[in-house]
Each structure stands twice: as structure tokens, then as C-alpha cells.
């Protein structure tokens, strides 16, 4: 399976970006998929996840600003990010196939990862 992210970039605080994650060899309609981010010097954190029914889970800091969605026909996962803040600056990764459940889809151990797309907010 392969996950390819796109849509990152540099924006001013308050701006918006939409990240995409195109999947091949894996169906986004199955199980959990998630977005993670990692800023320099910080641990990777789960940002948003979506289950097979489309039900989302968000980390507290992005609730009301980010929206995760997926298009099963296009086999693509999305992350709409609004009202971006400098603290959102990080490399963003999509992940698929939760293999080790640790109580939340945001802390699950995922098997497939994309290469990441950089988001910089100034």
C-alpha cells in the first residue's frame, strides 16, 4: 500500500489549507485512517482520525478548526485546516490500518504511513 500526501504549504495565521492523502493498495473505506503531525523537537501527535462510517475524532487543540473527511470513490483522505495558528506548524502525515489499539484512534499504532507534507504558519 502507498499513501501520498499533498496540499501543504506556507500560510499566514488565520489562513486555511486542505491536505489530501491519496491511497493505493489500501481502501480508505476500511477501518480507521488518521492525520498525525510532528513539529521539530516534539513528539508526533495524532491530530484527527476517521472511522469506516465517517465518524471523526480530533485532538483538543484542533477541534472547531480542522475537519477530517474521506472520499471513498477517489480513495482519498482529506484534512481541511482553518484558522491556522503558528503552533500548527509541523510535518503532517496520513496513516492507515490501525494494528495496535491504545484506547483512541489518535494513539493507535498504524501500519501504513505517507511521506509527509510540510505546513508552515507564520
Amino acid at each position: 500500500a502507498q499513501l501520498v500526501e499533498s496540499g501543504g504549504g506556507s500560510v499566514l495565521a488565520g489562513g486555511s489549507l486542505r491536505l489530501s492523502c491519496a491511497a493505493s493498495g489500501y481502501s480508505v473505506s476500511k477501518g480507521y485512517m488518521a492525520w498525525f503531525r510532528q513539529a521539530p523537537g516534539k513528539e508526533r501527535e495524532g491530530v484527527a482520525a476517521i472511522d469506516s462510517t465517517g465518524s471523526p475524532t480530533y485532538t483538543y487543540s484542533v477541534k472547531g478548526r480542522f475537519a477530517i473527511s474521506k472520499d471513498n470513490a477517489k480513495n482519498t483522505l482529506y484534512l481541511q485546516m482553518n484558522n491556522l495558528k503558528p503552533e500548527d506548524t509541523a510535518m503532517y502525515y496520513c496513516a492507515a490500518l490501525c494494528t495496535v489499539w491504545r484506547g483512541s484512534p489518535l494513539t493507535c499504532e498504524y501500519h501504513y504511513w505517507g511521506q509527509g507534507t510540510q505546513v508552515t504558519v507564520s
Side-chain angles (χ1 to χ4, degrees):
Q2 187 176 20
L3 303 176
V4 179
E5 302 99 333
S6 61
S10 296
V11 296
L12 296 176
S16 297
L17 285 172
R18 188 176 83 152
L19 306 183
S20 298
C21 172
S24 58
Y26 182 84
S27 174
V28 302
S29 65
K30 298 181 179 179
Y32 281 106
M33 291 196 70
W35 287 97
F36 285 75
R37 66 186 179 188
Q38 187 166 23
K42 294 189 177 181
E43 291 189 359
R44 185 175 64 193
E45 68 166 335
V47 174
I50 189 167
D51 69 10
S52 60
T53 70
S55 179
T57 302
Y58 299 100
T59 192
Y60 180 79
S61 63
V62 307
K63 282 183 179 178
R65 300 189 298 121
F66 289 13
I68 189 171
S69 63
K70 59 182 178 176
D71 186 326
N72 292 339
K74 294 183 178 179
N75 212 31
T76 300
L77 178 73
Y78 301 100
L79 184 67
Q80 177 67 42
M81 305 186 295
N82 299 324
N83 190 21
L84 282 160
K85 303 176 180 181
E87 51 263 43
D88 295 318
T89 295
M91 185 72 79
Y92 284 71
Y93 302 89
C94 68
L97 187 58
C98 172
T99 57
V100 180
W101 181 255
R102 295 198 175 107
S104 164
L106 299 181
T107 56
C108 181
E109 193 168 309
Y110 288 86
H111 184 70
Y112 299 115
W113 292 86
Q115 82 290 348
T117 186
Q118 178 68 38
V119 172
T120 302
V121 186
S122 58

